[in-house]
Amino acid sequence: MKKKTKKSLKQLCKESEGGKPEPLTTEHYFSSPVYWTDKPEWIKPLNIASDAYIKQARLNNLDDIKKRNKKYGNKGEHPWVHHSTTLINDPQFKVLQDYIGATAWNLLDGQGFDLSNHTIYITELWVQEFSKDGGGHHTLHTHWNGHISGFYFLKAGPQTSRPVFEDPRPGQMMNLLPQKDPAQITSASYQVNYNVKPGRLIFFNSYLPHMYSVDNGYEPFRFIHFNIQAIPNGPLGKPGQPTWLQKQEEAKKNDKKK
């Protein structure tokens, strides 16, 4: 009597499907979308409007830069990042504010969120420029108490810093396996970076961890950063003021009357 040999699980699977991999229905859940478009027509006017803000930001940092250089040796402004004061309500940036406010509403609505008792507010809007001597960067972070964040790039190129997004799932990050090819975007990827250029506008959910790679100072790097929050209207969700959508519809009605 012949002795039966045990078959491996791989052999059994092959035999059950005639040697072919078993087809499975694939469904993706809990994705983290990143949206982008190009608005080159805003580059020149928003750069001009930003110049004074960046100039003041550099002046604000000048004393600290001089103290550091005197104490440790002259490194120019390496690795400073010059952050402006708020741009909110500056009429020079109205076209950007109107667009990102409307787009944020559309994105959240499209993702399935009920905004009928919420109003979209731009809570933060500022321009920043990385050191001309290189070294500028942002460490990994998210934006608290917000829903949509994004960037509009004014000065950027192949040699500048770039935004990097990281997988927001703690369980995935704790149990990572090696990737076959880190250069390819797959379900195994835990980071993705974007090449940017002037006029590129990027939106993403504020929970998505992001950072900026170290800039080498070869080209100017300037961008506007914004954070947007959907805030409940009035106590217990009762509208205390017109929503952003209602304001837009009212404005359209007024335009038709003229």
Side-chain angles (χ1 to χ4, degrees):
M1 187 173 177
K2 289 185 178 180
K3 187 178 179 182
K4 292 183 179 180
T5 57
K6 290 184 178 181
K7 294 183 178 181
S8 69
L9 181 61
K10 187 175 181 180
Q11 287 175 312
L12 291 171
C13 288
K14 281 188 176 180
E15 287 177 6
S16 66
E17 291 293 326
K20 297 179 180 179
E22 182 179 355
L24 299 175
T25 300
T26 302
E27 297 175 341
H28 292 274
Y29 300 107
F30 317 119
S31 63
S32 297
V34 176
Y35 314 85
W36 64 267
T37 187
D38 290 326
K39 290 290 181 180
E41 65 271 24
W42 297 346
I43 298 170
K44 185 175 180 179
L46 294 188
N47 254 323
I48 292 172
S50 298
D51 284 342
Y53 284 94
I54 293 299
K55 183 178 180 180
Q56 185 59 54
R58 274 199 159 87
L59 289 173
N60 293 342
N61 291 328
L62 190 58
D63 285 344
D64 288 334
I65 293 172
K66 285 181 177 179
K67 287 178 183 177
R68 190 280 309 269
N69 288 344
K70 185 177 180 181
K71 185 174 182 179
Y72 297 108
N74 189 4
K75 290 290 183 179
E77 59 177 31
H78 178 285
W80 246 260
V81 177
H82 305 290
H83 296 266
S84 78
T85 53
T86 183
L87 309 177
I88 295 174
N89 295 325
D90 185 330
Q92 298 177 99
F93 297 90
K94 186 179 186 301
V95 64
L96 175 64
Q97 294 183 72
D98 288 347
Y99 185 90
I100 63 176
T103 303
W105 195 98
N106 291 334
L107 294 179
L108 292 170
D109 178 71
Q111 289 176 7
F113 294 104
D114 181 5
L115 300 179
S116 58
N117 279 321
H118 289 70
T119 299
I120 293 294
Y121 286 95
I122 300 171
T123 54
E124 293 180 292
L125 182 73
W126 75 103
V127 63
Q128 54 187 286
E129 187 167 291
F130 284 15
S131 163
K132 58 182 174 58
D133 296 313
H137 65 282
H138 287 179
T139 55
L140 192 69
H141 64 284
T142 59
H143 291 284
W144 64 277
N145 207 22
H147 298 106
I148 293 290
S149 296
F151 319 114
Y152 180 68
F153 295 91
L154 293 167
K155 297 180 180 181
Q159 300 300 320
T160 64
S161 175
R162 61 183 67 178
V164 181
F165 298 98
E166 189 166 285
D167 194 325
R169 300 168 297 174
Q172 163 73 344
M173 299 304 290
M174 288 188 294
N175 295 283
L176 279 176
L177 290 169
Q179 298 178 67
K180 291 180 181 178
D181 182 0
Q184 301 297 316
I185 302 300
T186 68
S187 294
S189 301
Y190 68 94
Q191 280 187 345
V192 60
N193 65 77
Y194 276 74
N195 286 321
V196 291
K197 62 179 183 179
R200 180 63 48 89
L201 178 60
I202 295 178
F203 295 85
F204 55 94
N205 292 82
S206 299
Y207 66 76
L208 190 60
H210 55 282
M211 60 184 176
Y212 273 88
S213 60
V214 175
D215 186 83
N216 290 317
Y218 293 128
E219 300 178 71
F221 188 59
R222 176 190 291 187
F223 65 97
I224 295 172
H225 201 335
F226 56 86
N227 293 312
I228 293 170
Q229 185 179 7
I231 299 177
N233 295 319
L236 304 179
K238 295 178 181 179
Q241 56 181 307
T243 65
W244 178 91
L245 186 61
Q246 290 169 336
K247 290 177 183 177
Q248 297 305 306
E249 290 174 348
E250 187 63 29
K252 288 179 183 178
K253 289 179 182 178
N254 293 334
D255 288 339
K256 289 180 180 179
K257 291 177 182 178
K258 291 179 180 179

